[in-house]
Amino acid sequence: MRSTVLGENSGDAIQTTEAVAEPRSRKPQDRVMMLVVAMTAASVGLAASIPGFDEALRPTGPWILVTIALLFGLSEWSVFHFEFRKEAISFSLSEVPLALALVFVAPGPAFAARLFGSIAVLVIARRPPLYKLLFNTALFAVEVAVAYAIFRSLVSSWGEDDSALVLAAVAAVFVPSLITSVLVSVAISFFEGSLLGQVASDLRVAGWLFIVNSTVAGVTLGLALVSPGLFIFAAIPVALLWFVLKRYGLLDQRLRDLDALHGFAAHIGRTLDPEVIGQAGLDRITELLRANFGALVLFDGDWIFTHGSADEEGLIAPAAFDPAASTRLLSGSAARLLSPVEARHFGLADERLESDLLVASLEDDSGSIGRLVVGGRSGAYRRFSDDEIARVQNLTEQLATSLRKGMLHQRIEREARRDALTQLPNRSSFERSIAATVAEPDEDRISFVMMLDLDRFKEVNDTLGHQAGDDLLIEVARRLSEQLQPGDVLARLAGDEFAVLAKRDTREQMTAFAESCVRDVGRPVTLDGLEIVVTVSAGLATLDSEADEPGVSLRHADIAMYNAKSQRMGVDVYSDEIDRRTPARLSMLGDLRSAIEQAHLDVHYQPKLDLASGMITGAEALVRWTHPVRGMVPPAQFVRVAEDTGLIKQLTDLMLGRGIATLRDVHDRGYHLGMSVNLSTHDLLDTRL
């Protein structure tokens, strides 16, 4: 699982408590406290160097100090936040009361007004952790100290006329805005790293506002210099300007969020892998909702995805998304917000959870796919808004659509590579496994293919029905699976044919493995209450010389298997001597079929001699074939081809017809002789013989 530390930035001289993230380790927090100490020391040093610490340039009544303190508090209270990713830049108009304080209030009271007015709002309205409060206090002190040091230095050079005071004040409030922004970026970098990138990003987003705020502060100060009470007339345009800026910021925020929302489907639609889609979707949703942690559970396949330190936060992801138990949690597909107490009530979290949880269902036209939960909101606000609850509904709908496509694609791909009955790899998947094996040969072990075919499987189907046949195939698959070693691949190729791809140290181990499989499959099995025995024949072929054509090893194993079946050997290993399926044999098959159909075969008669009397008693009919190209073909070759291909019946019928006709002719000539015709063992299965 991944742990994400979140920083929340601030964009002007007023840095609120959201400026620093909640720490997940003591080290970043300690570094922030070291920065606080350095900032405090710098503030004290600068304050000590300011001439006339207890004197104002333009003394006014005590009411101005109270007014400025209230203005500092008001600027802190009216701050607005611009969120991007998991950070927040906070904007305020603190430059206005600061510019007034530079002229009408002495540095000492100005420090007090700044700290009292701002910190009171922070403590009452936001209740920050202690380290955040101390950081912002030191930040405010730096702001005031730098502003007074610059202002008094410029005034001593430019003089104290009104124009000089306004220009000096504008410069004096602009520079601290830059400095405090950099300090906040430094604090955030303790948690997220990339200091230079952080500084550049913050100044690029907020730099223009520093100029606007400083200019507004100068205009307000100019009115106040004419008469202290006139700055009140600046309140209306300043408030309107701030309202416009705030609305612009909120509108820009929504546009950015909407743009991110529209890009969500493209972000998760780059693949059809449900695991990649699920994790990418969860990561993207937590980023868009500025959540620290989350979990996503898909019902189909028991996928569980997590983001951030969900387990450390107290989220109980697997139990949270039980399809039946979580139905009562959600009304239809509507997302809802749960407090920590409610989350614990529904069994979603334990006592460690402190933040709200946003829970949503993943729904599409086919029904519910899973459940999503996110929590630990970062950024400017700690609670998910109504807009974000509506947004997560849109996000989960898009995610559900992509996930459903991915799961459908995975199911189709799995079915294309798996046997539907036994769930074993099919032929195409098995051939890919062979190709992968020959691509990376193991020189120390023997790689081989074993083909297995059940004997008399058709009788089971014809006698007990196809359901019993299916049950038998499932049982055979189970028994073969028990014989496998790690790395072996078992597949069902078609019908009652199985295949195994394996590696063994010696040929003896290879044949021993095959014999063990044959024995185990041959054990009795009970189907429909009947105990039956179905044997199996196996053929073996090594992969050593077939690196370029994985299909060749399958054909060789198939030849060995059929030879084992015909010879009732149980197991046989491929050799060239038993290969009767060469291209030349296939060519011979076509010629033999034509020769039989066109009666181009010859019948020779070999006499039978009675040794006692020296008389010929009969003859044996012998088939002979003179091929126009091959010449004389030995009977041992073409008779075997006829037996292997089913042409033996036509060949036998031809020999019987020719032999009986010859015998009839001999009898008509007055010779009462016998006639013998050779039969194949395959002819014994012909009921019409």
Side-chain angles (χ1 to χ4, degrees):
M1 294 209 273
R2 293 168 296 167
S3 176
T4 307
V5 181
L6 306 177
E8 303 149 28
N9 198 358
S10 180
D12 68 350
I14 302 299
Q15 306 293 337
T16 66
T17 55
E18 285 75 20
V20 183
E22 292 285 356
R24 299 208 180 276
S25 67
R26 296 297 301 177
K27 186 176 180 180
Q29 185 178 5
D30 291 344
R31 296 174 69 183
V32 169
M33 293 307 299
M34 293 173 62
L35 181 60
V36 168
V37 173
M39 292 162 58
T40 303
S43 302
V44 173
L46 278 175
S49 66
I50 298 173
F53 191 77
D54 296 326
E55 299 177 1
L57 291 182
R58 300 283 179 91
T60 313
W63 62 272
I64 192 65
L65 180 62
V66 176
T67 301
I68 289 176
L70 291 176
L71 289 176
F72 274 126
L74 180 62
S75 67
E76 190 65 34
W77 177 78
S78 63
V79 67
F80 79 89
H81 308 281
F82 178 74
E83 296 181 306
F84 63 101
R85 297 178 183 172
K86 295 184 178 179
E87 302 174 5
I89 297 181
S90 303
F91 299 96
S92 76
L93 271 175
S94 62
E95 289 90 346
V96 173
L98 180 58
L100 295 173
L102 291 174
V103 176
F104 298 109
V105 180
F111 272 101
R114 178 67 166 111
L115 297 180
F116 177 80
S118 300
I119 293 176
V121 174
L122 292 180
V123 172
I124 295 173
R126 298 170 189 169
R127 299 178 183 178
L130 179 61
Y131 83 98
K132 287 188 176 183
L133 182 62
L134 294 176
F135 177 81
N136 285 286
T137 301
L139 202 65
F140 299 150
V142 168
E143 174 198 28
V144 175
V146 171
Y148 267 97
I150 294 175
F151 180 73
R152 291 293 174 92
S153 176
L154 293 176
V155 168
S156 65
S157 300
W158 296 350
E160 296 186 17
D161 61 90
D162 290 352
S163 298
L165 292 178
V166 171
L167 293 176
V170 170
V173 297
F174 177 76
V175 174
S177 298
L178 296 177
I179 293 175
T180 53
S181 180
V182 172
L183 289 173
V184 171
S185 298
V186 171
I188 292 176
S189 70
F190 293 157
F191 295 88
E192 300 186 1
S194 184
L195 173 59
L196 294 179
Q198 189 73 46
V199 172
S201 175
D202 294 347
L203 293 180
R204 182 173 59 253
V205 174
W208 64 272
L209 194 60
F210 297 158
I211 300 174
V212 173
N213 286 0
S214 300
T215 304
V216 171
V219 173
T220 305
L221 177 60
L223 289 173
L225 287 173
V226 176
S227 174
L230 288 180
F231 82 89
I232 296 176
F233 289 97
I236 296 177
V238 168
L240 291 176
L241 175 63
W242 188 244
F243 175 78
V244 171
L245 290 174
K246 191 170 184 176
R247 296 300 296 178
Y248 168 77
L250 294 176
L251 179 61
D252 188 59
Q253 176 76 66
R254 291 188 177 182
L255 290 176
R256 286 174 177 266
D257 291 342
L258 184 62
D259 183 64
L261 186 66
H262 287 167
F264 178 74
H267 181 80
I268 62 176
R270 300 171 182 172
T271 177
L272 288 175
D273 187 343
E275 293 191 18
V276 177
I277 295 173
Q279 191 61 60
L282 176 61
D283 293 343
R284 185 64 172 165
I285 287 175
T286 53
E287 179 182 346
L288 294 177
L289 297 178
R290 301 174 182 89
N292 284 347
F293 60 88
L296 173 66
V297 170
L298 305 183
F299 301 146
D300 185 5
D302 296 328
W303 283 305
I304 300 176
F305 307 98
T306 58
H307 174 91
S309 54
D311 55 342
E312 296 177 6
E313 296 285 351
L315 178 65
I316 306 174
F321 306 110
D322 177 72
S326 62
T327 300
R328 60 193 177 100
L329 183 63
L330 299 168
S331 175
S333 59
R336 65 173 295 190
L337 196 63
L338 297 180
S339 68
V341 175
E342 291 177 307
R344 286 190 285 271
H345 173 73
F346 284 106
L348 298 179
D350 57 29
E351 296 297 329
R352 294 172 295 172
L353 182 69
E354 298 179 354
S355 62
D356 291 340
L357 291 182
L358 183 54
V359 185
S361 176
L362 274 71
E363 306 274 346
D364 67 355
D365 295 338
S366 301
S368 180
I369 293 179
R371 297 288 186 266
L372 167 77
V373 61
V374 293
R377 194 192 188 284
S378 181
Y381 309 101
R382 294 305 182 191
R383 185 178 178 86
F384 294 104
S385 66
D386 292 340
D387 288 342
E388 288 171 323
I389 296 176
R391 192 184 311 153
V392 79
Q393 194 67 46
N394 188 301
L395 292 171
T396 53
E397 289 175 0
Q398 296 184 51
L399 180 58
T401 301
S402 294
L403 282 171
R404 181 69 76 180
K405 290 180 180 178
M407 290 189 290
L408 179 60
H409 176 268
Q410 188 180 68
R411 185 178 298 113
I412 293 174
E413 188 176 52
R414 182 173 59 247
E415 290 174 355
R417 297 187 178 187
R418 292 278 173 177
D419 171 55
L421 178 64
T422 62
Q423 296 304 308
L424 294 175
N426 59 14
R427 176 180 288 273
S428 62
S429 180
F430 188 72
E431 289 177 349
R432 280 191 288 270
S433 297
I434 295 176
T437 300
V438 298
E440 298 181 2
D442 187 347
E443 301 296 338
D444 299 328
R445 310 188 75 192
I446 299 174
S447 299
F448 64 93
V449 172
M450 177 174 66
M451 290 280 291
L452 302 104
D453 186 82
L454 300 182
D455 301 325
R456 301 189 308 279
F457 175 72
K458 186 175 183 299
E459 296 179 16
V460 176
N461 276 335
D462 294 343
T463 305
L464 302 180
H466 289 282
Q467 182 60 50
D470 290 346
D471 293 341
L472 175 60
L473 293 175
I474 294 173
E475 175 63 19
V476 170
R478 186 191 67 79
R479 293 184 181 185
L480 291 175
S481 298
E482 293 177 348
Q483 296 288 331
L484 302 181
Q485 294 183 7
D488 295 350
V489 178
L490 171 64
R492 181 191 175 202
L493 303 187
D496 58 344
E497 284 188 345
F498 294 85
V500 177
L501 173 64
K503 296 180 181 180
R504 294 297 184 268
D505 294 333
T506 63
R507 295 181 68 89
E508 289 74 16
Q509 292 180 1
M510 178 180 73
T511 55
F513 166 67
E515 291 169 354
S516 177
C517 291
V518 170
R519 285 195 303 270
D520 197 28
V521 172
R523 289 187 293 107
V525 59
T526 302
L527 298 174
D528 289 343
L530 298 176
E531 186 178 86
I532 64 173
V533 175
V534 177
T535 58
V536 64
S537 299
L540 298 166
T542 61
L543 273 63
D544 297 339
S545 60
E546 268 51 68
D548 294 331
E549 297 184 60
V552 174
S553 58
L554 272 176
R555 186 177 70 83
H556 288 176
D558 188 57
I559 292 171
M561 180 269 294
Y562 276 106
N563 191 66
K565 186 184 290 288
S566 64
Q567 301 297 324
R568 289 177 172 77
M569 300 169 59
V571 176
D572 194 12
V573 180
Y574 172 81
S575 64
D576 293 336
E577 289 74 16
I578 65 172
D579 189 355
R580 299 184 303 275
R581 300 186 182 184
T582 62
R585 297 291 182 181
L586 293 178
S587 176
M588 180 185 294
L589 172 62
D591 294 343
L592 178 61
R593 186 186 302 275
S594 298
I596 294 175
E597 292 175 352
Q598 298 174 18
H600 288 170
L601 296 178
D602 299 323
V603 179
H604 293 191
Y605 299 97
Q606 179 172 293
K608 289 185 177 181
L609 179 66
D610 184 351
L611 296 179
S613 62
M615 299 291 293
I616 294 178
T617 59
E620 178 182 359
L622 301 176
V623 63
R624 294 293 183 266
W625 181 23
T626 303
H627 191 277
V629 176
R630 303 173 190 269
M632 287 294 299
V633 181
Q637 291 185 11
F638 68 83
V639 170
R640 192 62 178 271
V641 170
E643 290 179 332
D644 290 342
T645 59
L647 288 177
I648 190 65
K649 180 179 182 300
Q650 292 93 316
L651 180 60
T652 300
D653 289 345
L654 174 66
M655 292 298 296
L656 286 174
R658 298 276 289 275
I660 292 173
T662 300
L663 184 62
R664 175 74 270 173
D665 182 60
V666 170
H667 284 186
D668 290 345
R669 292 171 183 261
Y671 300 102
H672 296 283
L673 302 176
M675 180 72 68
S676 298
V677 178
N678 293 319
L679 299 178
S680 168
T681 55
H682 295 268
D683 292 326
L684 301 179
L685 300 177
D686 186 359
T687 57
R688 300 178 60 191
L689 178 62

